[in-house]
Amino acid sequence: MLNQLSRITAALLCAIAIATPASAAIIRSTATGTIDSGTDYAGVFGAAGASLAGRSYSQTISFDRQTATEYQSSQSSEAYSYGSNLAVTVSTTVGGITLLKNLTGAQAHLYNAYGLSANTSNYRIDQLDAYAYRNTATEYLYTNQGIYSYQNAFGLTGDVAQQVTRNFTAGDSSYFSFEFGYANLSHTRIDGRLSSVAFNASSAVPEPASLALFGLGLAGLAASRRKRLAR
């Protein structure tokens, strides 16, 4: 029994030693709203050529801020996390049908302006904006979602990883544009408005050492159970 515990302990220490911590700081914007105009020419949300006007939608744009460039200016009361060669996930749902695209080499940003929240004399606007774009020989995707106000403060701090939700209120303005298509096919194009948008920072991805410990723990339990059954 002692030898078995020694072997398990050694395996755990080895796993910790070779596992390199690798956490990701995923930031995302999730918008929901109603489509004002749009036709699904590419047929990604149902029948090709169908009108999408009047349907509800939701969309999430996310990427790892550690791979992006960040900029924050207290003078202009704005903050960016952006890049032109990012791994970006765009998940768009219309009428219960989801188009999930994991893009590499994409342009994207999350942006907030917080002039109203900071009560600055200049740039008196609060805004949440997210964007993603990639164009290849086989596929094209562009999307932009946002909400802003010259009257209502959103409670922003100037941190793009701030967890904040904004539900559309009188005095706000919003926008949503989405275009997607495959090579040699007509694109699906959507324009609409937002009912809500949420900027959220996710928790870090589990480190490899933690995953290794968990896996070895399960293996140890299984081995112990087999040994008891053998008796």
Side-chain angles (χ1 to χ4, degrees):
M1 181 65 176
L2 181 60
N3 289 337
Q4 184 181 7
L5 289 175
S6 298
R7 288 194 298 270
I8 293 175
T9 301
L12 290 174
L13 292 174
C14 181
I16 294 172
I18 63 175
T20 302
S23 61
I26 305 300
I27 53 176
R28 59 171 53 87
S29 174
T30 299
T32 61
T34 303
I35 298 171
D36 290 327
S37 63
T39 303
D40 191 7
Y41 291 114
V44 293
F45 299 114
S51 172
L52 300 176
R55 299 189 188 183
S56 60
Y57 73 85
S58 64
Q59 183 187 74
T60 298
I61 302 170
S62 61
F63 59 88
D64 183 357
R65 69 183 299 196
Q66 293 182 347
T67 64
T69 300
E70 300 205 337
Y71 167 82
Q72 193 271 341
S73 171
S74 57
Q75 182 177 4
S76 59
S77 302
E78 59 184 349
Y80 280 96
S81 185
Y82 66 95
S84 59
N85 189 28
L86 300 175
V88 182
T89 298
V90 179
S91 177
T92 308
T93 301
V94 176
I97 299 175
T98 299
L99 175 68
L100 176 64
K101 303 304 297 183
N102 294 308
L103 311 175
T104 57
Q107 298 178 25
H109 75 230
L110 262 66
Y111 165 85
N112 75 48
Y114 56 99
L116 282 175
S117 293
N119 196 27
T120 58
S121 57
N122 297 322
Y123 305 101
R124 294 189 60 78
I125 180 176
D126 272 13
Q127 182 176 10
L128 296 168
D129 179 275
Y131 154 88
Y133 166 80
R134 189 185 69 167
N135 188 13
T136 69
T138 58
E139 190 176 274
Y140 172 88
L141 185 146
Y142 163 86
T143 190
N144 184 212
Q145 49 169 271
I147 189 169
Y148 64 94
S149 181
Y150 294 100
Q151 304 175 33
N152 305 315
F154 295 173
L156 304 178
T157 63
D159 179 4
V160 292
Q162 178 187 359
Q163 296 189 14
V164 57
T165 298
R166 180 66 184 178
N167 295 316
F168 188 88
T169 303
D172 294 351
S173 297
S174 70
Y175 48 89
F176 172 69
S177 294
F178 173 78
E179 189 170 355
F180 175 81
Y182 299 106
N184 303 320
L185 289 175
S186 298
H187 290 177
T188 291
R189 172 71 191 232
I190 297 170
D191 291 294
R193 59 190 184 276
L194 275 63
S195 58
S196 69
V197 64
F199 272 32
N200 295 292
S202 73
S203 58
V205 172
E207 296 181 357
S210 300
L211 295 176
L213 288 171
F214 179 72
L216 285 171
L218 290 178
L221 288 173
S224 177
R225 182 174 184 273
R226 286 196 298 270
K227 187 173 180 179
R228 288 196 304 270
L229 289 176
R231 292 176 182 174

